[in-house]
Amino acid sequence: ADLDASGTTYGNVTVTSSTGAVTDAGDTNTDIIAADAVLSAVTGIGSGDSTPPSYLDTKVSRLDAVNTTSGYINIKNTGALELIDLSSPIDNYSVHNSGGSVDIEAYSPLTVTSNVLAAGNITLVAGSGTAGDDLAINANVQSSATDSTITLTADDSITQAAGTTVGTNGTATGTNITATATNGSFTQTDGAVFASKGAGSTNGGDITVNASGDAAIADLDASGTTYGNVTVTSSTGAVTDAGDTNTDIIAADAVLSA
Protein backbone atom coordinates (compact mmCIF):
# COMPACT_ATOMS: atom_id res chain seq x y z
CA ALA A 1 0.00 0.00 0.00
CA ASP A 2 2.79 2.46 0.85
CA LEU A 3 6.59 2.04 0.96
CA ASP A 4 7.79 5.52 1.95
CA ALA A 5 11.53 6.22 2.00
CA SER A 6 11.13 10.00 1.79
CA GLY A 7 13.12 12.46 3.86
CA THR A 8 15.53 15.33 3.53
CA THR A 9 17.59 12.75 1.65
CA TYR A 10 15.41 10.04 0.15
CA GLY A 11 16.29 6.39 0.63
CA ASN A 12 15.92 3.61 -1.94
CA VAL A 13 13.32 0.86 -2.27
CA THR A 14 13.91 -2.66 -3.61
CA VAL A 15 11.00 -5.08 -4.08
CA THR A 16 11.53 -8.65 -5.31
CA SER A 17 8.97 -11.38 -5.93
CA SER A 18 10.83 -14.60 -6.79
CA THR A 19 7.73 -16.53 -7.95
CA GLY A 20 4.91 -13.98 -8.37
CA ALA A 21 4.01 -10.37 -9.10
CA VAL A 22 4.63 -6.95 -7.57
CA THR A 23 1.20 -5.32 -7.50
CA ASP A 24 -0.73 -2.31 -6.27
CA ALA A 25 -2.60 -3.26 -3.09
CA GLY A 26 -5.67 -1.49 -4.44
CA ASP A 27 -5.51 1.84 -2.65
CA THR A 28 -5.26 5.34 -4.06
CA ASN A 29 -2.02 6.24 -2.26
CA THR A 30 1.41 6.36 -3.83
CA ASP A 31 2.79 2.83 -3.48
CA ILE A 32 6.53 3.63 -3.52
CA ILE A 33 8.24 6.90 -2.56
CA ALA A 34 12.03 6.79 -2.94
CA ALA A 35 15.10 8.09 -4.72
CA ASP A 36 15.69 4.79 -6.56
CA ALA A 37 13.30 1.87 -7.03
CA VAL A 38 14.49 -1.56 -8.14
CA LEU A 39 11.59 -3.90 -8.89
CA SER A 40 11.84 -7.56 -9.90
CA ALA A 41 9.05 -10.09 -10.51
CA VAL A 42 8.08 -13.20 -12.44
CA THR A 43 4.40 -12.64 -13.31
CA GLY A 44 4.10 -8.86 -13.60
CA ILE A 45 4.77 -5.48 -12.02
CA GLY A 46 1.77 -3.26 -11.40
CA SER A 47 -1.03 -5.52 -12.49
CA GLY A 48 0.26 -9.03 -13.00
CA ASP A 49 -2.02 -10.61 -15.60
CA SER A 50 -5.15 -8.65 -14.66
CA THR A 51 -7.45 -7.16 -17.30
CA PRO A 52 -8.06 -4.24 -17.45
CA PRO A 53 -4.59 -3.37 -16.20
CA SER A 54 -3.86 -1.50 -13.00
CA TYR A 55 -0.69 0.48 -12.26
CA LEU A 56 1.90 0.61 -9.55
CA ASP A 57 1.93 4.25 -8.40
CA THR A 58 5.39 5.60 -7.66
CA LYS A 59 7.17 8.81 -6.76
CA VAL A 60 10.79 7.99 -7.55
CA SER A 61 13.64 9.63 -9.42
CA ARG A 62 15.18 6.51 -10.95
CA LEU A 63 13.64 3.15 -11.86
CA ASP A 64 14.87 -0.31 -12.80
CA ALA A 65 12.12 -2.90 -13.46
CA VAL A 66 12.51 -6.52 -14.60
CA ASN A 67 9.81 -9.14 -15.17
CA THR A 68 10.80 -12.59 -16.41
CA THR A 69 7.87 -14.85 -17.36
CA SER A 70 4.37 -13.41 -17.86
CA GLY A 71 2.28 -10.33 -17.17
CA TYR A 72 2.73 -6.61 -17.69
CA ILE A 73 4.97 -3.88 -16.33
CA ASN A 74 2.59 -0.95 -15.63
CA ILE A 75 3.90 2.03 -13.66
CA LYS A 76 2.73 5.63 -13.20
CA ASN A 77 5.24 8.02 -11.62
CA THR A 78 4.74 11.45 -10.06
CA GLY A 79 7.61 13.76 -10.95
CA ALA A 80 10.64 13.46 -13.20
CA LEU A 81 11.67 9.86 -13.90
CA GLU A 82 14.84 8.33 -15.30
CA LEU A 83 14.76 4.76 -16.58
CA ILE A 84 18.25 3.48 -15.79
CA ASP A 85 20.02 0.17 -15.12
CA LEU A 86 20.44 -0.08 -11.34
CA SER A 87 20.93 -3.86 -11.25
CA SER A 88 23.97 -5.63 -9.86
CA PRO A 89 25.57 -6.99 -11.94
CA ILE A 90 24.69 -4.51 -14.67
CA ASP A 91 22.53 -5.97 -17.46
CA ASN A 92 22.22 -2.78 -19.59
CA TYR A 93 18.42 -2.69 -19.24
CA SER A 94 16.37 -0.19 -17.28
CA VAL A 95 13.10 -1.99 -18.06
CA HIS A 96 13.00 -5.58 -19.34
CA ASN A 97 9.79 -7.58 -19.62
CA SER A 98 10.31 -11.04 -21.10
CA GLY A 99 6.66 -11.88 -20.47
CA GLY A 100 4.64 -9.12 -22.11
CA SER A 101 4.03 -5.40 -22.50
CA VAL A 102 5.48 -2.29 -20.84
CA ASP A 103 3.52 0.87 -19.97
CA ILE A 104 5.41 3.57 -18.07
CA GLU A 105 3.99 7.05 -17.59
CA ALA A 106 5.78 9.91 -15.85
CA TYR A 107 4.24 13.21 -14.82
CA SER A 108 6.96 14.37 -15.83
CA PRO A 109 9.55 14.52 -17.71
CA LEU A 110 10.76 11.01 -18.69
CA THR A 111 14.33 10.08 -19.67
CA VAL A 112 15.37 6.69 -21.05
CA THR A 113 19.04 6.23 -20.09
CA SER A 114 19.34 2.43 -20.34
CA ASN A 115 17.66 0.06 -22.81
CA VAL A 116 13.97 -0.84 -22.68
CA LEU A 117 12.95 -4.26 -24.07
CA ALA A 118 9.54 -5.96 -24.02
CA ALA A 119 7.97 -9.11 -25.43
CA GLY A 120 4.89 -7.06 -26.27
CA ASN A 121 3.73 -3.49 -26.74
CA ILE A 122 5.62 -0.53 -25.28
CA THR A 123 4.04 2.74 -24.11
CA LEU A 124 6.16 5.60 -22.75
CA VAL A 125 4.45 8.83 -21.69
CA ALA A 126 5.80 12.15 -20.40
CA GLY A 127 2.89 14.37 -19.53
CA SER A 128 1.46 16.53 -16.79
CA GLY A 129 0.13 19.46 -18.77
CA THR A 130 2.96 21.75 -17.67
CA ALA A 131 6.11 23.10 -19.35
CA GLY A 132 9.02 20.68 -19.67
CA ASP A 133 7.04 17.50 -20.20
CA ASP A 134 9.75 16.09 -22.47
CA LEU A 135 10.55 12.51 -23.44
CA ALA A 136 14.27 11.92 -24.03
CA ILE A 137 15.23 8.65 -25.71
CA ASN A 138 18.93 8.09 -24.92
CA ALA A 139 18.93 4.30 -25.23
CA ASN A 140 17.19 1.62 -27.31
CA VAL A 141 13.42 1.10 -26.96
CA GLN A 142 12.60 -2.23 -28.61
CA SER A 143 9.98 -4.95 -28.81
CA SER A 144 10.69 -8.61 -29.59
CA ALA A 145 7.02 -9.33 -30.40
CA THR A 146 5.58 -9.66 -33.90
CA ASP A 147 2.90 -7.07 -34.81
CA SER A 148 3.58 -5.05 -31.67
CA THR A 149 3.14 -1.31 -31.14
CA ILE A 150 5.51 1.24 -29.66
CA THR A 151 3.83 4.47 -28.56
CA LEU A 152 5.88 7.48 -27.45
CA THR A 153 4.00 10.53 -26.16
CA ALA A 154 5.16 13.83 -24.65
CA ASP A 155 3.11 16.88 -23.73
CA ASP A 156 6.11 18.89 -24.95
CA SER A 157 9.04 17.57 -27.03
CA ILE A 158 10.56 14.22 -27.96
CA THR A 159 14.29 13.80 -28.60
CA GLN A 160 16.23 10.72 -29.72
CA ALA A 161 19.98 10.45 -29.27
CA ALA A 162 22.50 9.22 -31.83
CA GLY A 163 23.15 5.49 -31.91
CA THR A 164 19.77 4.51 -30.47
CA THR A 165 16.99 2.45 -32.06
CA VAL A 166 13.26 2.58 -31.48
CA GLY A 167 11.49 -0.42 -33.00
CA THR A 168 12.13 -4.13 -33.27
CA ASN A 169 14.97 -6.15 -31.87
CA GLY A 170 16.23 -9.30 -33.52
CA THR A 171 13.68 -10.93 -35.82
CA ALA A 172 10.41 -9.29 -34.76
CA THR A 173 8.32 -8.05 -37.67
CA GLY A 174 5.65 -5.46 -38.27
CA THR A 175 6.17 -3.16 -35.30
CA ASN A 176 4.02 -0.03 -35.62
CA ILE A 177 5.68 3.05 -34.11
CA THR A 178 3.88 6.27 -33.15
CA ALA A 179 5.59 9.32 -31.67
CA THR A 180 3.55 12.36 -30.62
CA ALA A 181 5.06 15.63 -29.36
CA THR A 182 1.81 17.36 -28.44
CA ASN A 183 3.07 20.89 -27.78
CA GLY A 184 6.68 20.69 -28.88
CA SER A 185 9.12 19.38 -31.44
CA PHE A 186 10.31 15.95 -32.53
CA THR A 187 14.07 15.70 -33.00
CA GLN A 188 16.22 12.76 -34.07
CA THR A 189 19.98 13.29 -33.78
CA ASP A 190 22.23 12.03 -36.58
CA GLY A 191 22.47 8.24 -36.15
CA ALA A 192 19.13 7.81 -34.40
CA VAL A 193 16.78 5.27 -36.02
CA PHE A 194 13.12 4.27 -35.99
CA ALA A 195 13.13 0.72 -37.43
CA SER A 196 9.84 -1.14 -37.80
CA LYS A 197 11.42 -4.41 -39.04
CA GLY A 198 14.05 -6.58 -37.40
CA ALA A 199 16.87 -8.39 -39.16
CA GLY A 200 15.63 -11.45 -41.04
CA SER A 201 11.95 -10.59 -40.65
CA THR A 202 9.45 -9.98 -43.43
CA ASN A 203 7.23 -6.94 -43.01
CA GLY A 204 7.89 -3.38 -41.99
CA GLY A 205 5.31 -1.78 -39.73
CA ASP A 206 3.96 1.76 -40.11
CA ILE A 207 5.72 4.76 -38.57
CA THR A 208 3.82 7.90 -37.54
CA VAL A 209 5.37 11.11 -36.18
CA ASN A 210 3.19 14.00 -34.99
CA ALA A 211 4.68 17.24 -33.69
CA SER A 212 3.34 20.67 -32.92
CA GLY A 213 6.72 22.23 -33.74
CA ASP A 214 9.41 21.09 -36.13
CA ALA A 215 9.95 17.42 -36.95
CA ALA A 216 13.67 16.80 -37.60
CA ILE A 217 14.10 13.38 -39.21
CA ALA A 218 17.30 11.30 -39.27
CA ASP A 219 16.06 7.80 -40.16
CA LEU A 220 12.49 6.45 -40.30
CA ASP A 221 12.90 2.95 -41.77
CA ALA A 222 9.73 0.98 -42.59
CA SER A 223 11.46 -1.32 -45.08
CA GLY A 224 10.83 -5.05 -45.41
CA THR A 225 9.77 -7.64 -47.93
CA THR A 226 6.53 -5.70 -47.61
CA TYR A 227 7.26 -2.07 -46.78
CA GLY A 228 5.24 -0.16 -44.23
CA ASN A 229 4.14 3.47 -44.55
CA VAL A 230 5.49 6.64 -42.94
CA THR A 231 3.46 9.70 -41.93
CA VAL A 232 5.12 12.85 -40.55
CA THR A 233 3.08 15.88 -39.48
CA SER A 234 4.24 19.24 -38.10
CA SER A 235 1.20 21.35 -37.25
CA THR A 236 3.05 24.67 -36.79
CA GLY A 237 6.59 24.09 -38.07
CA ALA A 238 8.67 22.26 -40.67
CA VAL A 239 9.64 18.70 -41.53
CA THR A 240 13.42 18.77 -41.92
CA ASP A 241 16.51 16.62 -42.49
CA ALA A 242 18.23 16.17 -39.13
CA GLY A 243 21.57 16.78 -40.81
CA ASP A 244 22.82 13.28 -41.41
CA THR A 245 23.84 11.56 -44.62
CA ASN A 246 21.44 8.61 -44.30
CA THR A 247 18.15 8.21 -46.13
CA ASP A 248 15.65 9.98 -43.92
CA ILE A 249 12.51 8.04 -44.88
CA ILE A 250 12.26 4.49 -46.27
CA ALA A 251 8.68 3.37 -46.87
CA ALA A 252 6.04 2.23 -49.35
CA ASP A 253 4.05 5.45 -48.96
CA ALA A 254 5.14 8.69 -47.29
CA VAL A 255 2.65 11.35 -46.24
CA LEU A 256 4.33 14.57 -45.11
CA SER A 257 2.52 17.66 -43.79
CA ALA A 258 3.96 20.92 -42.47
Side-chain angles (χ1 to χ4, degrees):
D2 194 346
L3 303 180
D4 187 348
S6 63
T8 303
T9 301
Y10 279 40
N12 302 321
V13 168
T14 300
V15 182
T16 302
S17 174
S18 59
T19 63
V22 176
T23 62
D24 184 338
D27 65 340
T28 57
N29 295 331
T30 301
D31 301 304
I32 298 174
I33 303 173
D36 297 345
V38 179
L39 311 177
S40 178
V42 175
T43 59
I45 297 174
S47 66
D49 289 310
S50 65
T51 301
S54 60
Y55 291 80
L56 199 67
D57 299 312
T58 62
K59 185 179 180 181
V60 304
S61 298
R62 304 196 301 174
L63 173 69
D64 184 315
V66 176
N67 183 60
T68 59
T69 303
S70 65
Y72 315 116
I73 295 179
N74 291 337
I75 296 169
K76 289 186 178 180
N77 191 75
T78 299
L81 177 63
E82 180 182 13
L83 304 182
I84 186 170
D85 183 8
L86 299 171
S87 60
S88 180
I90 292 171
D91 63 7
N92 295 319
Y93 292 101
S94 61
V95 179
H96 189 182
N97 189 2
S98 300
S101 297
V102 166
D103 185 340
I104 295 179
E105 304 177 14
Y107 301 93
S108 174
L110 177 61
T111 301
V112 180
T113 300
S114 303
N115 297 331
V116 174
L117 177 62
N121 301 329
I122 298 174
T123 300
L124 300 178
V125 176
S128 62
T130 60
D133 292 333
D134 298 326
L135 172 57
I137 306 296
N138 298 326
N140 296 334
V141 177
Q142 296 176 299
S143 174
S144 60
T146 296
D147 297 328
S148 61
T149 62
I150 296 178
T151 304
L152 310 175
T153 305
D155 274 357
D156 285 343
S157 296
I158 297 174
T159 59
Q160 185 186 5
T164 65
T165 298
V166 172
T168 64
N169 92 310
T171 59
T173 183
T175 297
N176 296 311
I177 306 168
T178 300
T180 303
T182 305
N183 296 298
S185 60
F186 171 86
T187 305
Q188 288 184 306
T189 305
D190 185 3
V193 178
F194 276 20
S196 63
K197 178 191 78 70
S201 60
T202 303
N203 298 327
D206 295 334
I207 299 174
T208 303
V209 174
N210 298 305
S212 173
D214 293 342
I217 307 302
D219 193 344
L220 305 180
D221 186 351
S223 63
T225 304
T226 300
Y227 280 39
N229 302 319
V230 168
T231 301
V232 182
T233 302
S234 170
S235 60
T236 66
V239 177
T240 63
D241 183 340
D244 67 330
T245 57
N246 296 331
T247 302
D248 300 306
I249 297 174
I250 304 172
D253 298 338
V255 179
L256 310 178
S257 177

